């Protein structure tokens, strides 16, 4: 009797949950088509969950533990209950062993639920959303607690009055209904959508069953497709929620509002009007026909109020009165800290760039100085509108060998647009002197080196990026070399990860890796160890985008610094504010992003911060003193390998 | 402002020499778009070379643009006048001068003479007249004068306005509308511009300023001394040898007390 009631309740609630999820799927299925390997995705799902998701969740062990207990306990309990229902005709359905098993998993779930309650009621982390999430511990406790009593009782032979047991079953059913109701718009939504998102992820290569990392932006087809014939070319980028590919919409729907992205976001930390969690939630609610952010119960975009944004699935997303304010969109530095932290594997940066593409390519709405820069870039192939020959002014006395078309050399040095800047020229000179000192056979492209298109692409100007990329690829493919070396991680990322789509594939090395190699092979000898306390600021485009966090550290150790680590370093480093065109769009906040990062540097007590990217050097040197010194890593290596004369 | 025509030329980037939208013409189009006229006619007259650069204007939100196709070296004034007469616009806007080719600073005056209209040069703002007793159709203008001065004018009837660089900046050009917009080529007859073909072409260079170091005096005097250009004094070297040039710079630095 008890068993029948229980399984009936569970099956009914599950059926309702499935119906809700199916109804919900209309929202994300309305997106643009996407090529997805359905079978392969579903097959890879358990592995991705156990390896990739737990890799992220496990960074906060307490959360990982309660999640395993609650989710594992809940799933096991449901499976047992359903199995009891299937086998209800069989005599063993009511057997004590099954009840005892059920009691064990429910006890585990109860323990997890108590931890959830502790986190939500006692610890109360700032970044957690309230609203529908506030009821979560209650439903978890109700479900696991009530059923635990019933299961224990049944396994002991059923001493409880039947009426009391039925009441407990009813309470558990209500609690479970509340949990499953969450599939609709509450906490449990992430379970269903997260699983589907893992299977149909737009970047399957980022998981351990792929390359493990996939950070390059995907090319936007600019030419109207062949079969379209005379049809008007479609709009570029994303204007409305339905312009996203369906599996991207599905990804947004998976957001569990844990706020890890919010904690990691440098723009949020500096009080710029961007909270990545709210950004994703804005996209989630905008999938409804009549959308408003009034029900959002987390931290807002700094400086902006909640409840005034309105939108809909077929309405523009960006606008002063739309779901997302333009300032929010243009605050992002594309640092990927949010993507790194997101346990639901949501790709915030792809969403930001898709939205920016529409703003720039269709509306010409790139803000202020960014639009001026793009126009100069189109006319001169460099962001400052200068003559390409002037890129080499700083090296007038170095007589750098130029690599002509058809020529060959061992190492091709790509200097990047930093070469137009006085500060960056200093570190480039250091690098060139080091290459000479180590006897590296290197050459530069000379006037054929164009901007790599990184900033244009992050600002959404895919047309200018593709024009630059095709020409740079042609230039490089006309020459022979074993590797390209650059001191600019943005160039590194673009050439290494984004040019292959345009027919270029070479070995691209960051100068920190090259310098380390030169020291380990003995081509450079450390004569004057630095001996100072130094902390290293990981460039986002070297660390998170390319996973290179070891070489710079090994290099610093090799030149004898006393290395200190910031709280946020390596793959979890915090951005200097220089990426994604953010210095050009220049959205104002409470503070500047580099000031926040310099705070992190100060906390280590190091007297010097080593950087490995021209943007980081400029951003961090722009922080007013007194502050720790900023030095490019090549400058430190140069000083440490000075030979006595 | 019901009926506006805007004349757009192909510009040239001063450093790269690449064809682009001309800066003040783009500002003229910006002003024309901001006026929200009932009819907006955009015209370019010139040879078909570099015609793709015109798409930058379409990217500002213009749906179509008429290209009066002329042969290389032809004078665009007559075909422009003939074309404008068909539309009879109440206002013709254009940049104060083109960056290359035929659109000299004279063009607006010649067009105005041909259309029997007035010319208002160096305009930075145009709006419908707001005085209560103004004549219907009159427009309030603000004109830029040297040294940042401004003059308010009221214009009635048909006129040609040239746009000053300090007018509101042109909006960015977007790729999507630029490739969707339509350029309508119209064949036009024109006579060859004998004057221009006679002229020597060379890149523009800013007039060199002679710096003077002046100590003492009021802050205003020093600012003037540092920023004003004085012509007539100093030494003019045309295509000097590297040594002669370097020597002249060295002497000047010594003379101004910047070198011992
Ligand atoms: S990419 Fe960086 S700046 Fe942009 S939302 Fe994510 S964390 Fe914030
Ligand atoms: S986007 Fe990801 S990290 Fe941010 S709140 Fe949602 S689930 Fe958490």
């Amino acid at each position: 009797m008890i068993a029948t009631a229980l399984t009936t309740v569970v099956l009914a609630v599950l059926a309702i949950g499935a119906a809700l999820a199916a109804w919900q799927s209309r929202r994300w299925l309305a997106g643009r088509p996407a090529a997805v390997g359905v079978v392969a995705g579903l097959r890879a799902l358990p592995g991705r969950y156990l390896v990739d998701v737990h890799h992220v969740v496990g960074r906060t062990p307490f959360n990982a533990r309660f999640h395993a207990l609650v989710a594992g306990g809940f799933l096991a309990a449901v499976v047992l209950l359903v199995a009891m229902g299937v086998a209800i005709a069989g005599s063993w359905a009511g057997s004590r062993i099954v009840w005892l098993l059920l009691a064990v998993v429910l006890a585990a779930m109860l323990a997890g639920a108590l931890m959830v309650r502790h986190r939500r009621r006692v610890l109360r982390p700032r970044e957690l959303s309230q609203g529908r999430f506030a009821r979560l511990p209650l439903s978890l406790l109700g479900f696991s607690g009530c059923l635990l009593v019933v299961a224990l009782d049944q396994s002991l032979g059923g001493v409880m009055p039947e009426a009391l047991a039925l009441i407990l079953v009813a309470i558990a059913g209500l609690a479970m209904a509340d949990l499953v109701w969450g599939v609709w718009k509450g906490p449990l939504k992430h379970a269903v959508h997260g699983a589907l998102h893992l299977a149909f992820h737009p970047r399957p290569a980022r998981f351990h069953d792929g390359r493990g990392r996939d950070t390059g932006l995907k090319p936007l087809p600019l030419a109207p497709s062949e079969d379209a014939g005379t049809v008007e070319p479609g709009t570029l980028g994303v204007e409305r929620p339905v312009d996203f590919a369906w599996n991207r919409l599905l990804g947004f729907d998976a957001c569990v509002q844990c706020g890890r992205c919010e904690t990691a976001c440098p723009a949020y930390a500096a009080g710029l009007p961007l909270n990545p969690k709210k950004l994703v939630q804005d996209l989630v609610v905008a999938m409804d026909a009549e959308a408003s952010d009034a029900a959002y119960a987390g931290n807002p975009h700094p400086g902006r109020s909640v409840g005034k944004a309105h939108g809909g699935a077929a309405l523009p997303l960006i606008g002063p009165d739309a779901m997302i304010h333009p300032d929010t969109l243009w605050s992002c530095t594309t640092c990927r800290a949010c993507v790194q932290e997101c346990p639901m594997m949501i790709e915030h940066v792809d969403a930001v760039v898709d939205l920016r593409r529409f703003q720039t390519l269709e509306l010409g709405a790139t803000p202020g100085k960014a639009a001026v820069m793009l126009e100069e870039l189109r006319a001169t192939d460099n962001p400052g509108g200068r003559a390409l020959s002037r890129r080499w002014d700083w090296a007038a006395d170095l007589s750098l060998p130029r690599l002509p078309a058809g020529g060959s050399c061992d190492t091709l040095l790509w200097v990047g647009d930093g070469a137009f800047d006085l500060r960056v020229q200093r570190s480039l000179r250091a690098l060139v002197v080091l290459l000479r000192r180590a006897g590296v056979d290197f050459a530069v492209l000379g006037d054929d080196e164009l901007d790599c298109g990184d900033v244009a692409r992050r600002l959404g100007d895919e047309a200018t990026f593709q024009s630059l990329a095709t020409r740079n690829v042609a230039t490089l493919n006309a020459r022979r070399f074993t590797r390209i070396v650059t001191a600019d991680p943005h160039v590194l990322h673009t050439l290494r990860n984004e040019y292959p789509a345009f027919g270029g594939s070479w070995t691209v090395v960051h100068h920190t890796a090259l310098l380390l190699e030169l020291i380990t092979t003995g081509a450079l000898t450390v004569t004057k160890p630095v001996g100072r306390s130094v902390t290293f600021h990981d460039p986002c485009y070297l660390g998170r985008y390319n996973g290179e966090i070891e070489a710079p550290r090994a290099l610093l150790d090799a030149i004898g610094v006393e290395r200190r680590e910031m709280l946020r370093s390596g793959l979890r480093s915090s951005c200097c504010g220089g990426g994604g065109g953010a210095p050009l769009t220049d959205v104002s906040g409470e503070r500047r992003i580099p000031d926040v990062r310099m705070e992190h540097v100060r906390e280590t007590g190091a007297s010097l911060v080593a950087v490995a990217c021209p943007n980081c050097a400029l951003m961090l040197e722009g922080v007013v003193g007194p502050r720790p010194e900023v030095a490019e890593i090549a400058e430190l290596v140069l000083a440490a390998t000075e030979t006595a004369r | 402002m019901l009926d506006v025509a805007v004349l757009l030329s192909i510009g040239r980037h001063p450093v790269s020499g690449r064809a682009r939208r001309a800066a003040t013409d783009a500002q003229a189009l910006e002003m024309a778009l901001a006026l929200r006229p009932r009819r907006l006619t955009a015209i370019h007259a010139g040879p078909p070379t570099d015609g793709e650069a015109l798409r930058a204007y379409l990217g500002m939100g213009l749906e179509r643009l008429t290209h009066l196709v002329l042969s290389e070296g032809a004078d665009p004034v007559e075909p422009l006048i003939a074309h404008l007469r068909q539309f009879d616009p109440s206002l013709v806007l254009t940049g104060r001068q083109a960056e290359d080719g035929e659109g000299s600073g004279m063009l607006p005056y010649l067009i105005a003479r041909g259309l029997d209209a007035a010319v208002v040069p160096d305009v930075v703002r145009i709006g419908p007249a707001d005085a209560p007793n103004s004549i219907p159709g009159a427009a309030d203008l603000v004109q830029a004068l040297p040294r940042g001065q401004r003059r308010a004018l009221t214009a009635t009837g048909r006129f040609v306005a040239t746009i000053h660089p300090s007018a509101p900046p042109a909006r960015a050009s977007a790729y999507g509308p630029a490739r969707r917009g339509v350029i309508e080529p119209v064949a036009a007859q024109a006579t060859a511009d004998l004057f221009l073909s006679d002229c020597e072409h060379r890149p523009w260079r800013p007039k060199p300023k002679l710096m003077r170091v002046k100590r003492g005096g009021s802050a205003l005097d020093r600012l003037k001394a540092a920023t004003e250009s004085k012509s007539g004094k100093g030494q003019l070297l045309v295509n000097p040898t590297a040594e002669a040039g370097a020597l002249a710079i060295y002497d000047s630095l010594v003379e101004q007390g910047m070198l011992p």
Side-chain angles (χ1 to χ4, degrees):
Chain A
M1 172 64 194
I2 302 289
T4 320
L6 195 48
T7 47
T8 316
V9 167
V10 167
L11 286 175
V13 172
L14 280 183
I16 294 171
L20 286 177
W23 183 248
Q24 274 281 24
S25 66
R26 287 172 321 130
R27 297 160 71 244
W28 47 267
L29 283 174
R32 282 185 186 165
V36 165
V38 176
V39 178
L42 286 173
R43 201 176 301 137
L45 169 61
R48 288 176 186 173
Y49 176 71
L50 291 174
V51 178
D52 298 281
V53 173
H54 272 276
H55 178 72
V56 178
V57 180
R59 285 177 209 153
T60 36
F62 181 82
N63 296 8
R65 246 167 263 140
F66 79 65
H67 194 261
L69 288 172
V70 171
F74 183 70
L75 278 179
V78 168
V79 167
L80 279 174
L81 287 166
V82 171
M84 284 164 85
V86 172
I88 205 99
S91 55
W92 58 271
S95 91
R96 292 187 179 192
I97 311 284
V98 180
W99 283 112
L100 196 62
L101 217 56
L102 186 61
V104 170
V105 296
L106 284 169
M109 182 177 171
L110 182 66
L114 285 170
M115 288 167 83
V116 173
R117 184 175 185 283
H118 177 70
R119 172 154 172 266
R120 291 209 167 254
R121 293 285 144 77
V122 184
L123 302 177
R124 288 180 165 272
R126 269 198 82 242
E127 70 272 14
L128 283 184
S129 285
Q130 297 302 319
R132 291 189 177 92
F133 284 83
R135 275 206 316 268
L136 180 64
L138 201 64
S139 342
L140 291 174
L141 287 172
F143 177 80
S144 54
C146 293
L147 282 193
L148 179 59
V149 174
V150 174
L152 278 177
D153 174 61
Q154 287 293 320
S155 64
L156 295 176
V159 289
M160 199 166 23
E162 188 152 283
L164 183 58
L166 285 180
I167 289 174
L168 285 176
V169 168
I171 296 177
L174 278 179
M176 184 175 170
D178 189 51
L179 286 176
V180 169
W181 174 245
V183 170
W184 178 245
K185 273 188 178 168
L188 228 65
K189 204 173 96 176
H190 83 281
V192 178
H193 294 87
L196 294 175
H197 184 227
L198 278 184
F200 308 141
H201 199 278
R203 286 180 179 274
R206 67 170 281 177
F207 298 108
H208 75 285
D209 53 283
R211 286 192 306 277
R213 175 170 289 107
D214 183 21
T215 52
L217 293 176
K218 304 278 179 281
L220 177 69
L222 293 177
S225 56
E226 295 292 316
D227 55 334
T230 52
V231 179
E232 285 274 290
T235 54
L236 303 162
V238 168
E239 179 189 25
R240 311 159 299 165
V242 290
D243 296 335
F244 278 110
W246 65 266
N247 55 351
R248 300 227 173 250
L249 292 179
L250 171 63
F252 305 144
D253 241 357
C255 171
V256 63
Q257 304 198 34
C258 65
R260 291 179 190 226
C261 52
E262 168 186 318
T263 316
C265 178
Y268 183 80
L272 268 62
L274 166 63
N275 176 349
K277 169 169 111 175
K278 171 83 161 63
L279 177 77
V280 170
Q281 282 305 309
D282 288 344
L283 293 169
V284 168
V285 294
M287 279 184 239
D288 294 332
E290 290 276 308
S292 142
D293 66 343
Y296 176 74
N299 292 324
H301 296 304
R304 305 197 60 82
S305 53
V306 171
K308 299 219 182 73
H310 294 282
L315 294 177
L317 276 164
I318 307 292
D321 303 313
M323 274 325 285
I324 300 168
H325 192 275
D327 283 352
T328 299
L329 181 65
W330 298 106
S331 291
C332 176
T333 70
T334 68
C335 73
R336 282 186 81 82
C338 47
V339 185
Q340 177 78 17
E341 294 302 316
C342 180
M344 306 313 297
M345 309 283 150
I346 296 170
E347 295 280 346
H348 310 65
V349 176
D350 287 346
V352 164
V353 171
D354 275 343
L355 290 166
R356 286 183 177 182
R357 282 177 173 169
F358 182 84
Q359 297 297 307
T360 297
L361 294 174
E362 291 292 347
L363 303 181
T366 340
K369 277 190 283 174
V372 177
M373 184 284 277
L374 289 176
E375 188 157 14
E376 289 297 315
L377 184 59
R378 279 173 218 138
T380 63
D381 299 327
N382 73 80
R386 276 162 288 199
L388 290 174
S389 58
R390 300 209 46 198
R391 191 191 299 274
W392 307 100
D393 283 1
W394 57 279
D397 59 332
L398 294 173
S399 42
L400 297 180
R402 310 266 166 122
L403 186 63
S408 68
C409 69
D410 176 57
T411 299
L412 179 71
L413 176 64
W414 185 288
V415 295
D417 293 325
F420 290 108
D421 180 88
L422 286 172
R423 166 67 185 90
V424 181
Q425 289 168 3
R426 253 197 292 151
S427 43
L428 281 173
R429 284 186 75 92
L431 179 58
V432 166
V433 173
L434 285 169
L435 292 179
R436 288 252 157 90
R437 193 176 280 169
V440 176
D441 165 29
F442 77 98
V444 297
L445 283 179
D447 300 355
D448 290 333
E449 182 184 321
L450 313 178
D451 172 76
C452 69
D454 162 69
V455 184
R457 191 169 221 198
R458 314 301 136 191
L459 287 171
D461 193 348
E462 184 73 3
T464 304
F465 168 76
Q466 291 194 7
S467 150
L468 290 163
T470 9
R471 284 178 290 147
N472 277 328
V473 167
T475 303
L476 289 169
N477 281 343
R479 290 154 171 83
R480 283 192 312 282
F481 44 82
T482 37
R483 59 183 170 184
I484 301 173
V485 167
T486 179
D488 186 340
H490 297 262
V491 170
L492 177 91
H493 168 68
T494 312
L495 266 59
R496 182 192 277 173
N497 302 324
E498 298 189 345
Y499 278 13
F502 300 89
S505 111
W506 319 279
T507 310
V508 191
V509 187
H510 191 240
H511 72 314
T512 50
L514 175 74
L515 291 174
L516 178 66
E517 178 196 312
L518 294 177
I519 289 187
T520 28
T521 56
L524 289 173
T525 330
V526 179
T527 49
K528 287 186 209 145
V530 178
R532 293 176 66 178
S533 55
V534 174
T535 185
F536 178 62
H537 164 72
D538 289 89
C540 306
Y541 277 74
L542 189 62
R544 270 188 297 275
Y545 275 81
N546 283 286
E548 295 192 15
I549 54 174
E550 298 303 329
R553 290 185 167 74
L555 182 60
L556 284 174
D557 292 345
I559 59 171
V561 308
E562 183 222 314
R563 182 156 58 81
R564 301 192 182 169
E565 287 295 352
M566 286 182 262
L567 225 45
R568 296 191 51 190
S569 62
L571 296 178
R572 307 182 79 183
S573 165
S574 177
C575 179
C576 70
L584 294 163
T585 56
D586 203 20
V587 179
S588 56
E590 288 153 28
R591 288 195 286 169
R592 295 178 65 250
I593 296 177
D595 293 351
V596 176
R597 188 54 172 162
M598 195 51 91
E599 269 314 305
H600 300 174
V601 174
R602 285 202 185 98
E603 282 164 14
T604 66
S607 66
L608 187 147
V609 51
V611 294
C613 166
N615 291 324
C616 302
L618 293 174
M619 296 308 285
L620 292 180
E621 277 212 335
V623 175
V624 286
R627 56 155 169 76
E629 214 181 303
V630 180
E632 221 283 344
I633 221 163
E635 296 159 9
L636 295 176
V637 177
L638 181 71
T641 57
E642 211 70 71
T643 40
R645 273 175 223 178
Chain B
M1 229 53 66
L2 297 173
D3 201 341
V4 176
V6 49
L7 308 183
L8 305 170
S9 64
I10 292 173
R12 214 152 277 288
H13 193 275
V15 173
S16 69
R18 210 176 280 175
R20 60 163 188 180
R21 59 176 185 173
T24 51
D25 286 351
Q27 286 177 290
L29 178 56
E30 174 67 46
M31 199 171 276
L33 290 168
L35 283 172
R36 301 179 168 279
R38 198 193 59 203
R39 187 171 66 177
L40 175 61
T41 320
I43 312 162
H44 168 74
T49 40
D50 289 336
E52 277 302 295
L54 293 172
R55 296 218 162 258
Y57 294 114
L58 296 172
M60 294 170 66
L62 199 59
E63 270 162 28
R64 50 189 64 239
L65 186 157
T66 307
H67 182 180
L68 302 178
V69 185
L70 308 178
S71 52
E72 194 74 47
D75 188 343
V77 171
E78 285 310 320
L80 278 175
I81 292 173
H83 192 77
L84 285 170
R85 280 221 186 94
Q86 293 174 28
F87 290 100
D88 193 29
S90 50
L91 168 63
V92 178
L93 286 171
T94 188
R96 75 203 305 231
Q97 104 192 39
E99 296 170 0
D100 185 37
E102 296 281 345
S104 73
M106 275 300 285
L107 183 126
Y109 293 87
L110 298 173
I111 301 265
R113 188 173 67 183
L115 292 180
D116 201 14
V119 174
V120 189
D122 289 341
V123 169
V124 293
R125 197 166 73 218
I126 299 185
D130 50 9
N133 54 351
S134 59
I135 310 158
D140 278 346
L141 311 178
V142 177
Q143 191 184 28
L145 300 177
R147 293 184 177 276
Q149 296 188 67
R150 294 287 184 266
R151 175 160 65 197
L153 301 169
T154 304
T156 52
R158 180 174 28 205
F159 65 99
V160 177
T162 71
I163 303 305
H164 189 263
S166 61
R171 68 191 66 183
S173 172
Y175 177 83
R179 68 174 182 172
R180 281 193 296 272
V182 182
I183 298 178
E184 291 167 335
V186 176
Q189 287 305 309
T191 50
D193 187 346
L194 298 175
F195 172 74
L196 196 70
S197 53
D198 263 2
C199 294
E200 179 204 354
H201 283 241
R202 62 166 188 253
W204 174 85
R205 272 186 55 182
K207 199 162 75 183
K209 284 182 183 173
L210 189 63
M211 275 175 53
R212 320 210 121 261
V213 179
K214 193 170 164 197
R215 296 198 173 76
S218 68
L220 184 62
D221 288 342
R222 289 200 303 278
L223 180 72
K224 268 191 183 158
T227 54
E228 262 184 4
S229 55
K230 297 228 168 39
S231 52
K233 293 182 197 134
Q235 207 182 344
L236 181 65
L237 301 175
V238 179
N239 284 340
T241 63
E243 286 75 19
L247 193 65
I249 293 171
Y250 183 79
D251 287 347
S252 151
L253 291 177
V254 172
E255 183 196 326
Q256 293 177 36
M258 293 184 188
L259 281 179

